[in-house]
Amino acid sequence: MRKYLIFVFILLLNMYLITGEGKAEEDAPELTSEAAILMDTQSGAILYGKNEEIQMYPASLTKIATAIYAIETANLTDQITIGEEVLDIDGTRVYLNPGEQVSLKKLVQGMMINSGNDAALAIAIHLDGSLENFTRNFNEFLEEKIGVKATHFVNPHGLFDENHYTTAKDLGLILNYAMKNEDFQEIFGTKQMEWDGESWDTTLLSHHRMLKGEIPYEEVTGGKTGFVDQSKQTLATTAENGQIKLTAILLKSEFKRRIYQDTIKLFEYGFANFHSTQIMKGEKFENGKLKFKADDDIYLTEPVEQAERVVDSDGVLRIENDRGETIQSVELKALIEKKPEVKKTTQEPEQSSILSFNTILGAIVLIIGAAVLVMNRRQKKNRRARSR
């Protein structure tokens, strides 16, 4: 009987773990890539991470950062004269000729769609005059504008250098920042374009197999691939399903096939478990007698089931799942209620008027009293005169 009860207990425990609190943990994907991150593109909430803060080599995912840096610091209609330096570049190219005139937008497209290293170098020289100046200004932009913490780039294309590194988390921050820009969104989501160059006339096709449809996944909205021997396969992808927009970064996968499998696993996990909501500027929240408000429109990432919003006494709004784990936190602004204004009464002027009236009345009484006193004295004087 005792053995039977133990068996039943273990069976019930396993059923609980399968159907209850253990479900979300079991849903978390197992990946073969060495580092990865899944983020809400709009809120920035981290939904999954694996070695996401370990510094690694990004290969051509660097070009995502170069693209948004170029878009925000120059004009895409700028006409650029290609220099001799493009002849010495290694790796994938769009076969630019020295002296050729190309718009900045076309160079960004060639760099992102066909991963042209010569286009990336031409962009860097145009923006800052030299690779040295570009490196300095590029890193300052990433740190100050985007807030990366563990990234240092020494070139615009991602060809290997031991001092050229980043993390999955930083790349996620960079891509999320870039996706707020409509020009970047358009280029990042381009599957193909006609390329009419002096020495190369062709149709450029995205290298991203999910974006161009070789691996069907209709929710994909953009992507960039990368590879050098030291970094192995790297991949950046965005997708949306009408409920949430997702950003996936995968680093150092041995095989191209597996890095796409890992990306799909991340998206399936994100779409199944989370959705995006928004609180509007001025929306109010309370913690006891303390009141707070949203200082701007804010995107929130919430679990599909059993989400809870908790506001602490410092005005931090936390989104928690059913296990009390924080999915996202945002700072609210303290709401200081104005004390009701006390209207001034008209008593003071009335008191002033009464005071003036009393003063005048008192003066009149004194005058009358003085007059009566004088008259009494005169009457006494007259009586005395008569009695004599």
Side-chain angles (χ1 to χ4, degrees), residues 132-149:
E132 181 181 359
N133 289 340
F134 170 81
T135 298
R136 181 182 63 253
N137 296 336
F138 189 31
N139 285 299
E140 286 180 1
F141 172 85
L142 297 176
E143 292 172 9
E144 295 173 7
K145 292 280 288 185
I146 302 179
V148 300
K149 302 295 184 183

Side-chain angles (χ1 to χ4, degrees), residues 312-335:
D312 66 21
S313 59
D314 293 323
V316 176
L317 170 63
R318 298 194 310 275
I319 308 301
E320 297 183 350
N321 60 19
D322 58 346
R323 298 185 303 279
E325 298 169 341
T326 299
I327 305 300
Q328 182 188 0
S329 61
V330 296
E331 291 186 6
L332 303 172
K333 185 176 181 179
L335 184 62

Side-chain angles (χ1 to χ4, degrees), residues 3-34:
K3 289 182 178 180
Y4 174 76
L5 291 174
I6 293 173
F7 172 78
V8 171
F9 173 77
I10 293 173
L11 181 62
L12 291 173
L13 179 61
N14 286 334
M15 290 177 64
Y16 172 78
L17 292 174
I18 291 172
T19 60
E21 292 189 2
K23 184 176 185 299
E25 294 179 1
E26 290 180 359
D27 283 346
E30 293 184 4
L31 309 180
T32 59
S33 300
E34 192 166 316

